[in-house]
Amino acid sequence: MATRRDFLSQPAPENYVAGLGRGATGFTTRSDLGPAREGPSEDQIKAAVAKRSAQLGLTEAKEGDDNEDDSRYQDPDNEVGLFAGGIYEKDDEEADQIWKEVDDKMARRRQRQREAREKAETDEYERKNPKIQQQFADLKRALGTVTDEEWASLPDVKDLTGRTKRARQARHEKFYAVPDSVLAAARDSSEFGTTVADDGGNTEAQKGGTTTDFAKIGAARDKVLQARLDQASHSSGRDSVVGSSTSIDPKGYLTSLSKREGAEQSIGDIDQFRRMLKSAVDTNPTHAPAWVAAARLEEYAGKPGAARAMIASGCKHCPKSEDIWIENIRLNENRNAKVVAAEAIKANPRSVRLWVEAMTLETDARSKKKVIRLALDQIPESEALWKEAVNLEEDPEDARLLLAKATELIPGSVDLWLALARLEAPANARKVLNKAGKAIPSSHEIWIAAARLEEQLGDGGNTSVMKNAVRFLAKRSAMPKREEWIAEAEKCEDEGAVVTCGNIVRETLGWGLDEDDDRKDVWMEDAKSSIARDKFETARAIYAYALRVFVTSKTLWLAAVDLERNHGTKEALCQVLEKAVEACPHSEVMWLMLAKERWQSGDLDESRRVLGRAFTQNPDNEDIWLAAVKLESDNGFTDQARELLKTARQNAPTDRVWMRSVAFERQQGDSEAALDLVQDALQLFPAAAKLWMMKGQIYEDLGKVPQAREAYSTGVKAVPSSIPLWLLYSRLEERNGLIVKARSVLDRARQAVPKSPELWCELIRVERRAGNANQAKALMATALQQMPKSGLLWSERILHLEPRTQRRTLSVEAVKQAEADPTVSVTVARCFWGDRRLEKAQNWFERALVLDSGVGDTWAWYYKFLLQHGTDEKREELLSKLRMVEPRHGEYWAAVAKDPKNAKKKPEEVLRLVAASLQ
């Protein structure tokens, strides 16, 4: 092999022609003179082919014996020879089907052995070629034996965030402002130098230095700008040549054009309308509305004389139309309106409208009375004229006499009877109402007036009037609907007849409702509607009636209590709560509300007695135990509170009781006792996330960071779904400078709780605080793809990740995605606040409070806003609302309110602390 020559050193085969296999027979010169050399002749090609065929023949002769029986194994479907021309009949098809079934059966018999063989082969292959996961399975099992101390002692990995290929490219893609030297070069590029430098001069250029002439640089910049402006003006000039050659003021021209066009359009419309109305009055001269429209058109066109002439013609053609005469009086108001009115009344002596219009034309009361009395002589049965006459009387006695005469002439007028009853003495008023009831037996207004009269006389507790009214009206099928009765009750409330209002509700609220109907919901809706209209007495009466029917309904009692708390007095609230605890003795909410009201009113002993009664009814209720502890603790009775907690842990051993015990010891400053309690509590309730958080916080207060880390680490393993626990764990690592570990904790948290806006936002903040702005934006984009309706994420992006110029656009998008999220509303308000649009900012703060008043952060931001731009009254109003709501949620609010140092602070004090901490 060593002596064998390589391929390129061997001689070419006989008759070899380069490129012959590719069809090449020669080469062409540059001058296209033909082939450089001749190819093989035909005899040579035939000899080569024959030689090749001989070599192939020897090879086939050797393999001939092996291929003699190939025809025996041909495909039976491709039959040749004897059956090549046969017909495929039904018997052949049946035979093929039988053989197919036989093959399938044999395949099924061998299936089990085949599958077993394939499985064995697969196992053997996997054993010889294991996966990476299988190769490290033993090592992963060994990781379970690693302790937390060993994990903590591992060296920190370097922060590689931002060292990606994209980040490296971003560093190179930097843009700079054009330097002044470029502008100077542009200035000098079109100039010719006309000076010769002095070779002997000691200039700065000869020394290798340069001088900066700012005046020349400014001139160069102006020159470049002027050139661009000239170029633009030339192009616009060329365009203007094609059009008009006149120069005009575009703004002024358009303004004048619009004025001229509007005037012409208005004149054209008036002419068109005038022709149309003229055609209408000519076609039908007795159609009064056409005359009125024609007169008003002339008045609109600025032709009052033509309008009066037009309406006068209309009055001649339509003398019986009230509308056309009233229009004529209006157009002649400053001239001869009284004359026109006299003509109108002469043509229509029984028109009430014309008589009233004539009365209004008079200036003194005596003339008005004269006109009305003339009208009553013509139309004595007109109720409107009698009312006008009564209103003109200044003496009540004269008005009473007129009403007495009016009721004789018009006995069916309810308003006249009621007006007469109001003017009569109480004794005579009863007689008047009795006469009215006989005259109009189907009028419920008269019955209500009778009930109000009884209330006025001091017999408001007598409900027989309304009972008789309901029975009397129902017998005559004149009973109004429930809604109408509620409206009458609200009317009585407006006029001060509170007792009558309650009597109406008491006797009519259940009218038309069967026991099968959901009466409780209907009555609650009625009460809510009355409250929305500020009719609190009516709502109070509705709740009172409903509670007589549904005595043990907690929903109704709570609604009634809420009404008294918001729109009643302290005494009324306590009375309702006393009735509520008697009706629902096992409702701890009622007991606690009553005890709180007694405590806030300053009666500590009465509050204790209320809680004692609550213990009797609910001996093992944790809420009552904790309320008693809070009562004693907030009033400085520490020993009593500690004893109550000890007893509660024995009688009602719940996780809340243990948490309150730990929190109480932390508030007292006894961290060791709190730590012992939390250790005991975790033995009983290992799945209580708040206990793990308390344990970690106690260790943090003591300055024991490794123990706090261990508490949080064990806690997240026991309760992996607790988001606040993960956040505390991450923030502990970040405070100690371990950014990578904080990021790792949050990554594990997101695996445990995949779609948590709080965890994503915290990870984004970690990156932002670490200076990784690009990574924070990338994470934000991913988070918003998964949770587009999270107000927390939108707020973080708008306020901290994007430039100020994009806040408006992002705010609009955030409102579209999360319109009902109060965090988005607060963010929009803060953006308006920053732009000094104070009214809109205040509106968005108010909107956020309406969406969710339990978020303390909203109250804090709004209070901070009012401290700068609000009034004392507005701030006091906000504090009063805060006392009623008592918010408990919010990122900043919870951190301040749950601090042991602020345990005894009132909501308004916590609000001030939170507002001071906001940035």
Side-chain angles (χ1 to χ4, degrees), residues 5 61 103 123 136 150 170 548 600 797 887:
R5 290 181 296 178
D103 293 338
D123 294 341
F136 292 94
E150 293 175 343
R548 281 196 296 272
Q600 290 183 348
R797 181 183 180 185

Side-chain angles (χ1 to χ4, degrees), residues 121 160 322 361 412 481 549 669 854 889:
E121 293 175 355
L160 300 178
E322 294 181 350
L361 294 176
K481 298 179 181 179
V549 179
H889 308 293

Side-chain angles (χ1 to χ4, degrees), residues 821-823 825-826 843-853 858:
D821 197 312
T823 308
S825 299
V826 172
N843 293 336
W844 279 94
F845 277 126
E846 295 283 354
R847 178 182 179 181
L849 291 178
V850 171
L851 290 174
D852 189 356
S853 59
T858 304

Side-chain angles (χ1 to χ4, degrees), residues 494-538:
D494 287 338
E495 297 175 357
V498 178
V499 178
T500 303
C501 170
N503 292 336
I504 292 174
V505 172
R506 187 180 301 108
E507 299 299 331
T508 62
L509 190 62
W511 181 260
L513 293 178
D514 299 331
E515 293 184 0
D516 297 336
D517 297 335
D518 198 354
R519 295 180 295 172
K520 183 171 70 173
D521 294 339
V522 174
W523 290 336
M524 288 191 69
E525 288 297 326
D526 293 338
K528 291 178 180 178
S529 300
S530 297
I531 293 172
R533 293 188 290 268
D534 294 337
K535 302 299 185 292
F536 307 120
E537 291 295 336
T538 305

Side-chain angles (χ1 to χ4, degrees), residues 846-903:
E846 295 283 354
R847 178 182 179 181
L849 291 178
V850 171
L851 290 174
D852 189 356
S853 59
V855 181
D857 292 354
T858 304
W859 293 90
W861 280 112
Y862 193 17
Y863 184 73
K864 186 172 183 178
F865 171 79
L866 293 178
L867 287 176
Q868 297 182 11
H869 308 290
T871 61
D872 294 337
E873 293 78 7
K874 193 66 178 179
R875 287 191 288 270
E876 186 59 34
E877 180 184 356
L878 184 71
L879 291 176
S880 62
K881 292 180 180 178
L882 177 75
R883 296 186 193 100
M884 291 189 297
V885 176
E886 294 186 2
R888 297 184 178 182
H889 308 293
E891 182 179 0
Y892 299 99
W893 183 274
V896 175
K898 293 184 179 181
D899 193 339
K901 297 180 294 185
N902 304 324

Side-chain angles (χ1 to χ4, degrees), residues 488-675:
E488 291 293 342
E490 293 178 353
K491 183 179 179 181
C492 292
E493 180 183 352
D494 287 338
E495 297 175 357
V498 178
V499 178
T500 303
C501 170
N503 292 336
I504 292 174
V505 172
R506 187 180 301 108
E507 299 299 331
T508 62
L509 190 62
W511 181 260
L513 293 178
D514 299 331
E515 293 184 0
D516 297 336
D517 297 335
D518 198 354
R519 295 180 295 172
K520 183 171 70 173
D521 294 339
V522 174
W523 290 336
M524 288 191 69
E525 288 297 326
D526 293 338
K528 291 178 180 178
S529 300
S530 297
I531 293 172
R533 293 188 290 268
D534 294 337
K535 302 299 185 292
F536 307 120
E537 291 295 336
T538 305
R540 191 173 287 112
I542 293 173
Y543 281 135
Y545 180 85
L547 286 170
R548 281 196 296 272
V549 179
F550 302 98
V551 182
T552 60
S553 174
K554 295 181 182 180
T555 307
L556 282 173
W557 281 112
L558 289 174
V561 168
D562 188 62
L563 173 63
E564 298 299 338
R565 180 187 291 111
N566 296 327
H567 308 289
T569 60
K570 290 287 184 182
E571 293 76 11
L573 177 58
C574 292
Q575 291 176 4
V576 173
L577 286 172
E578 287 287 355
K579 295 178 181 178
V581 296
E582 292 177 3
C584 307
H586 298 293
S587 176
E588 68 276 5
V589 178
M590 305 292 184
W591 288 108
L592 295 177
M593 293 172 69
L594 179 58
K596 183 178 180 180
E597 292 299 328
R598 295 297 187 187
W599 174 32
Q600 290 183 348
S601 62
D603 196 347
L604 181 60
D605 294 334
E606 182 61 26
S607 179
R608 287 172 174 167
R609 282 192 289 270
V610 169
L611 290 176
R613 291 160 54 194
F615 278 126
T616 304
Q617 298 292 338
N618 308 274
D620 297 331
N621 190 277
E622 64 177 9
D623 293 325
I624 298 176
W625 280 104
L626 296 179
V629 170
K630 181 175 178 58
L631 179 67
E632 301 296 342
S633 175
D634 290 350
N635 288 278
F637 299 97
T638 306
D639 297 335
Q640 290 86 333
R642 186 176 283 109
E643 289 297 326
L644 282 173
L645 285 171
K646 183 177 180 181
T647 307
R649 291 197 297 272
Q650 296 174 358
N651 297 339
T654 62
D655 55 346
R656 286 186 60 202
V657 173
W658 282 95
M659 291 175 196
R660 186 68 185 89
S661 301
V662 176
F664 176 77
E665 297 299 339
R666 289 187 66 194
Q667 294 169 9
Q668 304 305 318
D670 194 350
S671 299
E672 296 297 334
L675 191 58

